[in-house]
Amino acid sequence: MKLTPAQVEAYHREGYLFFPGLFSADETRVLNAEVPNLYAEERPENVREKGSTAVRTNFAAHTYNDAYRRLARHPRLIEPARQILGDDVYIHQFKINGKAAFDGDVWQWHQDYGTWFNDDDMPDARAMNVAVFLEDVNEFNGPLMFIPRSHQKGRQEAGHDVSTTSYPLWTIDNATITRLVAEGGIISPKGPAGSMMMFHCNLVHASGSNLTPWNRTIVYLSLNSCVNHIRRFKRPEYIAHRDFAPIQCLADDCLN
């Protein structure tokens, strides 16, 4: 999958690209079929919501599940990232974020690079997230919110929030968010299962809680330039990977 010059320009200007329905119903069905068993396992890779058994994040499924191993090498995800970053890429993080019906908690306003810089000593913001919707995402079930063009402001000061949710996060204060929103507004990509989005690691984003009866599960590949690999290894390897070898893509039909 090759991006057009206009798409590359839009990514650099706005900080994200969105591709509704990029993966077929059959392809997303293969991925969805694995989620219940992954979430049911009692292993450290499953981080559960505060005060609940619902899974907030499953880490590193591509290292022990075949369907997600294939997704991690899918050319529709990897090739556009290589094109934008101008380099071979490796997986810094692999997450299946499950904002469960009724129980899915908030993700506070943050930049992913803030955490990667502070916790992992990633040298530069030469990384991105590529995400696939496993269920329909609508205005009600906790869609992601982005502040367009906020990535152009660089890394923002952040505080380490270890109490709001079950997962510690470097979050941005309300005054900064108010200023950034006044400058860029808020957008919220919504679409069917199989939609894909790419966004810059400095794009400020968040999501609200899910009070609906509809799950909202999204798979994230956090892709980093191989020459920009992390220098600090204080977090578990299933959270911050240490295999910096370039990803070798499979065929486009690898999920069929």
Side-chain angles (χ1 to χ4, degrees):
M1 175 175 164
K2 189 172 179 61
L3 301 175
T4 67
Q7 288 172 321
V8 173
E9 193 276 333
Y11 176 89
H12 288 300
R13 182 185 68 248
E14 301 297 321
Y16 73 95
L17 292 172
F18 184 54
F19 303 87
L22 184 69
F23 287 83
S24 70
D26 286 341
E27 289 172 318
T28 54
R29 194 174 297 117
V30 168
L31 299 171
N32 261 315
E34 303 297 319
V35 172
N37 287 334
L38 287 170
Y39 281 4
E41 293 189 42
E42 293 296 333
R43 55 190 304 154
E45 288 90 344
N46 279 330
V47 177
R48 301 189 186 273
E49 297 284 16
K50 197 172 186 178
S52 169
T53 60
V55 170
R56 178 176 179 83
T57 298
N58 166 276
F59 284 103
H62 69 300
T63 64
Y64 61 94
N65 178 275
D66 184 62
Y68 286 97
R69 179 191 62 79
R70 285 178 278 147
L71 180 68
R73 298 170 65 190
H74 202 293
R76 275 174 252 167
L77 306 181
I78 306 305
E79 289 175 355
R82 285 177 178 160
Q83 187 179 351
I84 285 177
L85 294 176
D87 200 358
D88 284 327
V89 296
Y90 76 94
I91 294 176
H92 172 58
Q93 287 187 329
F94 190 104
K95 298 174 288 190
I96 308 174
N97 280 3
K99 197 175 284 283
F102 300 113
D103 290 322
D105 206 350
V106 303
W107 286 89
Q108 311 94 300
W109 286 107
H110 66 286
Q111 297 168 304
D112 286 327
Y113 184 59
T115 296
W116 302 341
F117 174 84
N118 283 298
D119 287 347
D120 306 321
D121 193 15
M122 185 182 288
D124 297 305
R126 291 190 61 193
M128 67 167 63
N129 285 305
V130 184
V132 179
F133 295 179
L134 294 191
E135 288 115 1
D136 297 350
V137 175
N138 57 47
E139 61 267 43
F140 306 113
N141 64 348
L144 281 162
M145 299 181 290
F146 296 103
I147 303 178
R149 300 177 295 283
S150 55
H151 67 300
Q152 297 179 12
K153 309 292 184 180
R155 182 173 59 86
Q156 303 294 312
E157 290 299 317
H160 202 200
D161 186 343
V162 298
S163 61
T164 298
T165 69
S166 61
Y167 185 71
L169 200 64
W170 289 86
T171 61
I172 301 173
D173 65 79
N174 291 347
T176 302
I177 296 301
T178 300
R179 173 176 55 82
L180 292 172
V181 169
E183 295 169 354
I186 298 176
I187 60 98
S188 186
K190 295 173 284 290
S195 298
M196 187 265 272
M197 59 186 173
M198 311 170 62
F199 59 97
H200 193 284
C201 63
N202 265 336
L203 193 68
V204 179
H205 61 287
S207 63
S209 59
N210 183 6
L211 300 179
T212 75
W214 308 306
N215 291 331
R216 192 232 67 180
T217 310
I218 300 178
V219 185
Y220 294 88
L221 279 71
S222 299
L223 301 174
N224 188 21
S225 163
C226 290
V227 298
N228 191 50
H229 65 79
I230 64 173
R231 270 56 171 182
R232 183 182 299 129
F233 309 115
K234 74 174 188 178
R235 297 202 290 174
E237 188 170 2
Y238 63 81
I239 294 180
H241 298 315
R242 298 165 199 177
D243 180 357
F244 309 136
I247 297 170
Q248 302 299 317
C249 289
L250 300 175
D252 190 74
D253 63 356
C254 62
L255 291 177
N256 295 330

